[in-house]
Amino acid sequence: MMSSEEPAIAVTGLRVVRGAREVLHGLSFQVPKGQITGLLGPSGCGKTTLIRSIVGVQVVAGGEVTVLGRPAGSAELRRLIGYSTQNPAIYRDLSVLENLRYFAAVLGAPKTDPARVLAEVGLEGAAHQLGGTLSGGQLSRASLAVSLLGSPRLLTLDEPTVGLDPVLRKELWELFQGLADRGVTILVSSHVMDEAARCQRLVMLRDGEILADDSPSGLRARTGTEDLEQAFLRLIEERQAA
Ligand SMILES: Nc1ncnc2c1ncn2[C@@H]1O[C@H](COP(=O)(O)OP(=O)(O)OP(=O)(O)O)[C@@H](O)[C@H]1O
Ligand SMILES: [Mg+2]
């Protein structure tokens, strides 16, 4: 699918070294605007490292990352990107609403934003509960609420549905789709392949390399299987045979 529109994210030849090892080996791909792009791959393949590079908090060894037309890490991008980290960062000794008010103030987001995002993630009932007392699912939603403050144009979500029950996962994916329908670009990582079908675009990573960058239907056609998990395994086999 070709689009004349500028992509939300353009990555070219990205290399990242962590510790003594190179963990991303020259990645190039683009993330289209206003869609959900899934970043999929097994544990340790480099999803978090890639998201950190896009958000601009990762030292990179080479290549270019352009986000919304600006170099990753640019100051202007801070208000345009929402980032939900893999380990939810919520103050334990503040209530959910206090957390949201604090982060809204830091971001310079509108005063009405905490109530808005609380409703968006369906967490109104826990507004006055301390961060430290939230259940896993509530914590994920609180973290997502923080990333929605300031109405970012790009949302980067690092495994936001890990450990959640199927009902909650479905609700969250509906929320993501609703945001995308309103024009928000979403990059979401997961190692659960059944979530891949909910994305419009898939970037599959393995050992710091891109195995596929395609739509779910394109990937099904190319690998000759309906099951995206099977498709991923076939791509690995193909790569190994080559
Ligand atoms: N601070 C660090 N120092 C050294 N190596 C690191 C560091 N952080 C990550 N790594 C290594 O970089 C590689 C990629 O890690 P990354 O966290 O990006 O993977 P991931 O795909 O997000 O995994 P997961 O699904 O488990 O979250 C792994 O081999 C990991 O061990
Ligand atoms: Mg990770």
Side-chain angles (χ1 to χ4, degrees):
M1 191 168 50
M2 289 293 289
S3 166
S4 56
E5 205 192 359
E6 178 192 53
I9 303 169
V11 175
T12 318
L14 175 65
R15 288 195 305 109
V16 173
V17 175
R18 295 189 90 168
R21 283 194 321 119
E22 185 176 278
V23 298
L24 296 182
H25 314 294
L27 303 189
S28 298
F29 67 100
Q30 298 191 342
V31 171
K33 280 185 178 158
Q35 293 189 358
I36 303 179
T37 296
L39 185 57
L40 295 141
S43 182
C45 71
K47 299 180 296 295
T48 297
T49 305
L50 177 54
I51 289 177
R52 284 169 50 88
S53 307
I54 289 164
V55 175
V57 296
Q58 176 67 54
V59 175
V60 307
E64 268 182 44
V65 182
T66 305
V67 182
L68 303 171
R70 305 157 182 88
S74 301
E76 319 92 85
L77 285 175
R78 220 164 41 167
R79 307 173 66 129
L80 301 175
I81 305 177
Y83 176 28
S84 186
T85 55
Q86 191 163 2
N87 302 304
I90 297 284
Y91 290 105
R92 298 176 56 84
D93 55 346
L94 295 181
S95 73
V96 174
L97 191 56
E98 286 165 343
N99 265 286
L100 290 169
R101 286 190 183 135
Y102 169 75
F103 288 114
V106 170
L107 280 165
K111 284 224 158 37
T112 50
D113 257 22
R116 177 183 64 84
V117 297
L118 209 52
E120 264 182 332
V121 302
L123 211 54
E124 299 104 316
H128 301 291
Q129 210 172 313
L130 292 184
T133 68
L134 298 175
S135 72
Q138 289 173 324
L139 193 58
S140 304
R141 281 186 285 166
S143 173
L144 182 63
V146 171
S147 68
L148 291 170
L149 291 166
S151 305
R153 285 165 54 198
L154 169 65
L155 260 189
T156 53
L157 309 170
D158 199 355
E159 306 213 27
T161 61
V162 163
L164 302 187
D165 62 76
V167 175
L168 203 49
R169 271 173 50 187
K170 181 165 175 282
E171 280 174 15
L172 278 182
W173 277 95
E174 283 164 3
L175 173 64
F176 301 160
Q177 189 58 59
L179 290 164
D181 291 344
R182 277 157 38 196
V184 178
T185 302
I186 301 183
L187 179 67
V188 52
S189 75
S190 175
H191 59 249
V192 192
M193 288 299 157
D194 62 358
E195 299 199 318
R198 294 186 174 272
C199 303
Q200 278 89 55
R201 193 89 205 152
L202 299 173
V203 174
M204 291 191 164
L205 271 189
R206 187 165 190 262
D207 295 338
E209 289 182 15
I210 292 178
L211 209 55
D213 174 9
D214 209 338
S215 62
S217 56
L219 199 65
R220 289 190 184 102
R222 205 173 111 197
T223 53
T225 168
E226 281 300 302
D227 180 342
L228 290 167
E229 179 150 357
Q230 282 301 321
F232 184 69
L233 294 173
R234 280 195 196 165
L235 289 171
I236 292 172
E237 284 163 13
E238 268 176 33
R239 177 76 55 112
Q240 278 163 352

